[in-house]
Amino acid sequence: MIDRSKVQRSFHRQACEYDNHTVVQKRVVARLLDILSEEGETPSRILDVGTGTGLLARHLADRYPDAFLSCIDLAPGMAVVARQRLGRRGLVAVADAEHLPFAGEAFDCVVSASTFQWLTTLDNAFGEAWRVLAPGGRFAFALFGQGTFHELKTSYRAALASSGRAGEDRTQRFFPVDEVSAAMTRAGFAACRVLCEDEVERHPDVPTFLRAVKRAGAGNASPLPSRGLAERRVMVEMMRVYGELFGDGDGIPATYSVIYGAGVKVP
């Protein structure tokens, strides 16, 4: 189970550094904007769930200058940065995706980028998105799904096994595509469209990759070493296996499997 308070503290601390360590997340924003364009609609009331530093919200404000734009994020530090980025073009509040502080049918478009993977289940957040959408409103999102950091997971499990600790995997579980689709259906969305695309980052070595993940606030996504000698040995072995299995002369890859979804609240 994901510790939401830890996620909140981590992203709060790293808010000012976040944009310097999130290459893939910026690609995800661009792709999600393309998906919204394909829908061919012009929303007038937009909610950005998990706005982070406000990158997606800023693009939405540029694209739909007449729309009323609201944003929420769990981390106060992220909300501060988003307010600075948006200025008077949007309202930003500290709030939880699973408990949105809005009346029902308040928006005709709800969007979210790189947020829902930090939830233990999707049902509450998707149900809240459905609740605040007006009939005919559209829900569009991107989240990191199963397959994300598969290189790290494979290497860490191998290191645990070699230490006689198989089954102690502490890496984050990411949602598979079928689970995302099922959650959309359970929430009541129709005309659902779900697709998965891989994005690959390159890093000089494994320590550089792990530092980048931590500096982006996403420490829950990777096994972080404890002070114990046994755990440090596992981490050293994990880095060796990672380089041996996946590395080359250009460093090591880190794969993000991005699940994009869109659906409509049927009138």
Side-chain angles (χ1 to χ4, degrees):
M1 180 175 292
I2 294 174
D3 184 339
R4 297 292 304 289
S5 62
K6 180 179 177 182
V7 170
Q8 181 186 42
R9 292 193 302 270
S10 182
F11 280 103
H12 172 73
R13 288 193 303 266
Q14 300 302 132
C16 292
E17 286 287 314
Y18 182 83
D19 285 342
N20 297 326
H21 303 283
T22 50
V23 174
V24 167
Q25 286 84 343
K26 292 169 185 172
R27 297 179 201 160
V28 169
V29 165
R31 182 71 178 99
L32 185 58
L33 287 166
D34 287 341
I35 290 172
L36 283 171
S37 294
E38 292 167 5
E39 303 299 332
E41 297 180 8
T42 305
S44 59
R45 299 169 295 161
I46 306 172
L47 172 63
D48 181 9
V49 177
T51 192
T53 61
L55 179 60
L56 174 59
R58 188 191 68 186
H59 286 291
L60 292 169
D62 290 341
R63 180 174 293 184
Y64 308 111
D66 297 326
F68 177 79
L69 176 61
S70 295
C71 310
I72 65 108
D73 199 276
L74 186 65
M78 288 291 189
V80 169
V81 175
R83 288 190 193 106
Q84 294 170 346
R85 172 170 258 157
L86 286 174
R88 297 182 178 180
R89 297 192 296 169
L91 301 177
V92 183
V94 176
D96 191 333
E98 296 183 304
H99 305 282
L100 296 175
F102 304 104
E105 303 185 4
F107 301 94
D108 53 22
C109 183
V110 174
V111 298
S112 180
S114 307
T115 295
F116 294 136
Q117 69 270 5
W118 301 115
L119 303 175
T120 301
T121 69
L122 295 171
D123 287 341
N124 289 341
F126 283 14
E128 280 290 271
W130 191 93
R131 181 183 66 80
V132 301
L133 274 172
R138 188 167 299 278
F139 179 39
F141 63 88
L143 60 85
F144 296 132
Q146 189 178 55
T148 296
F149 297 162
H150 70 84
E151 302 94 344
L152 173 64
K153 289 173 173 288
T154 297
S155 304
Y156 186 60
R157 289 166 184 161
L160 286 171
S162 69
S163 301
R165 295 170 54 191
E168 295 184 26
D169 188 358
R170 294 189 292 114
T171 55
Q172 180 178 341
R173 175 188 178 272
F174 293 95
F175 298 110
V177 171
D178 58 353
E179 191 169 334
V180 175
S181 296
M184 291 185 72
T185 301
R186 287 194 299 270
F189 290 103
C192 296
R193 186 159 63 105
V194 178
L195 63 146
C196 186
E197 300 174 357
D198 283 350
E199 295 279 357
V200 180
E201 261 186 359
R202 302 287 306 189
H203 296 272
D205 50 42
V206 180
T208 302
F209 162 52
L210 294 179
R211 284 194 296 271
V213 170
K214 185 176 181 181
R215 288 170 180 167
N220 276 34
S222 64
L224 299 178
S226 69
R227 295 182 179 180
L229 180 59
E231 187 62 26
R232 288 200 295 272
R233 286 173 175 165
V234 169
M235 293 297 289
V236 169
E237 175 65 8
M238 179 275 289
M239 289 187 278
R240 185 195 69 78
V241 174
Y242 199 132
E244 183 177 286
L245 291 181
F246 304 104
D248 55 31
D250 296 323
I252 58 101
T255 299
Y256 295 72
S257 292
V258 189
I259 299 176
Y260 298 92
V264 177
K265 181 174 180 178
V266 177

